[in-house]
Amino acid sequence: MNKIRILSILILIIFSSSNINCQNRAHRYSAFHPGKIWKDSDGNHINAHGGGIYYEDGTYYWYGEHKGDDSKAHVGINVYSSKDLYNWKKEGIALAVEKDPNSEITAGSVMERPKVIYNKKTGKYVLWFHLELKGKGYSAARTGVAISDTPTGPFKYLKSYRPNARKWPKNFKESSKREFKKGEIGEWWTDQWKKNLLEGSFVRRDFEEGQMSRDMTVYVDKDGTAYHIHSSEENQTLHISELTDDYLNFTGNWVRVQAGGQNEAPAIFEKDGKYYMVTSGLTGWDPNAARSFVADSIMGKWSALGNPAEGKDADKTFHSQSTFILPVEGKDDAFIFMADRWKPNNHIDGRYIWLPIEWENGKPIIKWKDEWDLSFFDEN
Ligand code: DGJ
């Protein structure tokens, strides 16, 4: 009897330890599984929403919004690192919310879509993100900037902007450069309103204070010039703005893109000297059909290429919204479309949709895959 008991205890120990090993092994990935729980090396679902990636010396750094059950910033901006893009280690909080209730990044503010770039001249890592002030909904429409000496931070918050105050866009008609007349915007969503929007009423309205900046990304061009791309004019029009040499301010050189096009969630990449941009439409946390554009230079002119998604649920971008397009290091023409599958009822459960960019007739295409790995780029 005793022998049987000892044997069964032994079997139990062996069985449960192999189970533990299985669980640990489950956190080593060798492929992407879009839409599934994606555990970091500690076994927790990665918490880096609306994110972007910066690469340096064999390591990718993924910056993203820490989310709890709501959409506010209660912790800040998380950073993870990876050598292979499948397995991620949590490095900590790159930019923490501040306790001071008077701080612009106090807990309860909104900090979205963080993107990091490195400035060779200053040796600083520069983090830009969409900032909304606590208790003010989405009305502040600002972009915030922070710097660090290392990619993992902690980053030091510098300030926030309404970009391009007192600067007209380069592609604005001379006749549009006039003082804003109270009431000139007109009744919302009427034909007159749309006409006034296209002609620049919101730009004039925000000329003194600076232009609205909500969904955003930053992009460093081959010559080292950095650009800030953001949804502006009540999310109706994209603005592309050149940043100063230190990447911390706006030069005042900016253009309006796709006026009235309602583009959010911009993500940019370059291939063979052409620039491509993927965006979403404007439906809050709900998914919609993505859009794609091409241009010969960042400042445009951008031409529409249509919805890049193909197949089932392409009209909803596979239930996700773009956030970044990542060039894979060491591979030619290998780009990963990164998107968020938002879970507005429990934001922490938001999922990540990473899919390879494919090409058809010179157009970037995104097709659903349950599972894929980087060898896809060698085979296609
Ligand atoms: C859509 C944006 O893309 C998100 O980043 C977020 O700002 C939500 N809107 C808020 O409704």
Side-chain angles (χ1 to χ4, degrees):
M1 187 65 180
N2 256 353
K3 271 188 187 161
I4 293 175
R5 193 171 276 168
I6 290 168
L7 202 69
S8 46
I9 289 171
L10 269 175
I11 289 170
L12 208 79
I13 290 171
I14 293 167
F15 186 72
S16 57
S17 79
S18 78
N19 248 355
I20 289 167
N21 283 339
C22 271
Q23 270 175 15
N24 284 343
R25 269 206 302 276
H27 304 152
R28 281 304 300 172
Y29 296 99
S30 51
F32 302 107
H33 304 92
K36 295 279 182 323
I37 287 284
W38 194 349
K39 292 183 178 180
D40 66 12
S41 53
D42 297 327
N44 301 313
H45 181 46
I46 293 171
N47 198 335
H49 309 270
I53 289 187
Y54 167 74
Y55 172 86
E56 184 179 293
D57 285 345
T59 302
Y60 295 91
Y61 297 91
W62 178 357
Y63 304 85
E65 306 157 19
H66 171 281
K67 291 236 189 268
D69 53 4
D70 70 7
S71 65
K72 306 268 173 20
H74 300 292
V75 170
I77 289 161
N78 281 338
V79 55
Y80 293 78
S81 69
S82 173
K83 301 265 183 213
D84 61 9
L85 290 173
Y86 309 120
N87 298 287
W88 293 89
K89 173 176 177 285
K90 186 161 183 201
E91 294 287 349
I93 306 168
L95 177 65
V97 295
E98 292 176 356
K99 284 204 183 101
D100 177 358
N102 297 316
S103 160
E104 290 186 339
I105 59 166
T106 193
S109 60
V110 170
M111 295 161 78
E112 292 181 345
R113 299 189 172 273
K115 305 288 175 301
V116 167
I117 51 182
Y118 176 68
N119 188 290
K120 286 190 186 140
K121 287 190 185 138
T122 62
K124 300 283 184 199
Y125 297 84
V126 181
L127 164 61
W128 285 92
F129 61 101
H130 170 199
L131 173 69
E132 296 292 349
L133 305 177
K134 184 176 179 180
K136 302 230 156 85
Y138 276 75
S139 62
R142 303 185 74 86
T143 184
V145 63
I147 50 169
S148 168
D149 293 325
T150 62
T152 49
F155 282 73
K156 182 177 176 291
Y157 179 66
L158 295 182
K159 65 178 288 186
S160 71
Y161 293 92
R162 273 290 188 97
N164 299 313
R166 305 194 55 71
K167 302 283 182 195
W168 295 117
K170 293 286 168 251
N171 56 352
F172 217 38
K173 278 202 279 184
E174 276 311 307
S175 57
S176 294
K177 297 180 185 171
R178 54 183 167 79
E179 215 172 293
F180 177 68
K181 287 195 209 78
K182 211 163 176 261
E184 75 162 70
I185 290 172
E187 280 289 307
W188 282 73
W189 310 117
T190 57
D191 287 350
Q192 192 60 26
W193 174 86
K194 179 86 192 252
K195 188 170 165 285
N196 292 340
L197 153 72
L198 297 182
E199 197 264 329
S201 280
F202 288 119
V203 175
R204 282 192 289 280
R205 183 195 67 183
D206 295 335
F207 185 71
E208 294 293 334
E209 188 191 353
Q211 301 297 318
M212 300 177 90
S213 179
R214 291 204 181 111
D215 277 13
M216 46 68 63
T217 192
V218 285
Y219 183 82
V220 180
D221 204 355
K222 284 173 287 189
D223 65 358
T225 309
Y227 298 87
H228 189 282
I229 299 103
H230 56 271
S231 294
S232 193
E233 302 179 36
E234 307 290 350
N235 295 344
Q236 303 299 310
T237 299
L238 280 175
H239 290 182
I240 301 188
S241 307
E242 188 184 70
L243 293 175
T244 50
D245 278 357
D246 57 9
Y247 300 169
L248 301 178
N249 207 332
F250 292 81
T251 63
N253 179 21
W254 71 282
V255 289
R256 297 172 84 208
V257 174
Q258 300 284 316
Q262 303 192 321
N263 288 288
E264 283 199 311
I268 289 199
F269 67 108
E270 183 260 338
K271 176 175 144 46
D272 301 333
K274 285 198 185 297
Y275 298 86
Y276 296 87
M277 175 160 59
V278 176
T279 66
S280 75
L282 178 60
T283 51
W285 299 112
D286 295 334
N288 52 50
R291 297 97 177 268
S292 62
F293 303 90
V294 63
D296 291 330
S297 81
I298 300 281
M299 294 298 243
K301 187 171 190 266
W302 291 88
S303 311
L305 294 176
N307 183 355
E310 276 187 2
K312 187 171 173 289
D313 295 333
D315 59 336
K316 295 274 185 278
T317 320
F318 315 112
H319 302 277
S320 72
Q321 185 183 32
S322 45
T323 185
F324 197 73
I325 292 172
L326 172 68
V328 179
E329 284 298 320
K331 289 191 188 283
D332 285 339
D333 299 340
F335 301 94
I336 300 178
F337 170 75
M338 292 169 51
D340 295 282
R341 182 174 287 174
W342 301 111
K343 296 280 179 84
N345 295 326
N346 183 20
H347 273 275
I348 194 171
D349 189 35
R351 306 297 171 87
Y352 309 101
I353 306 298
W354 287 25
L355 292 166
I357 300 260
E358 304 180 51
W359 295 89
E360 273 174 27
N361 306 322
K363 282 173 56 174
I365 297 293
I366 308 158
K367 293 183 193 164
W368 180 257
K369 285 167 184 49
D370 287 333
E371 180 181 328
W372 67 283
D373 63 46
L374 295 174
S375 66
F376 176 89
F377 294 115
D378 307 324
E379 291 152 12
N380 290 273

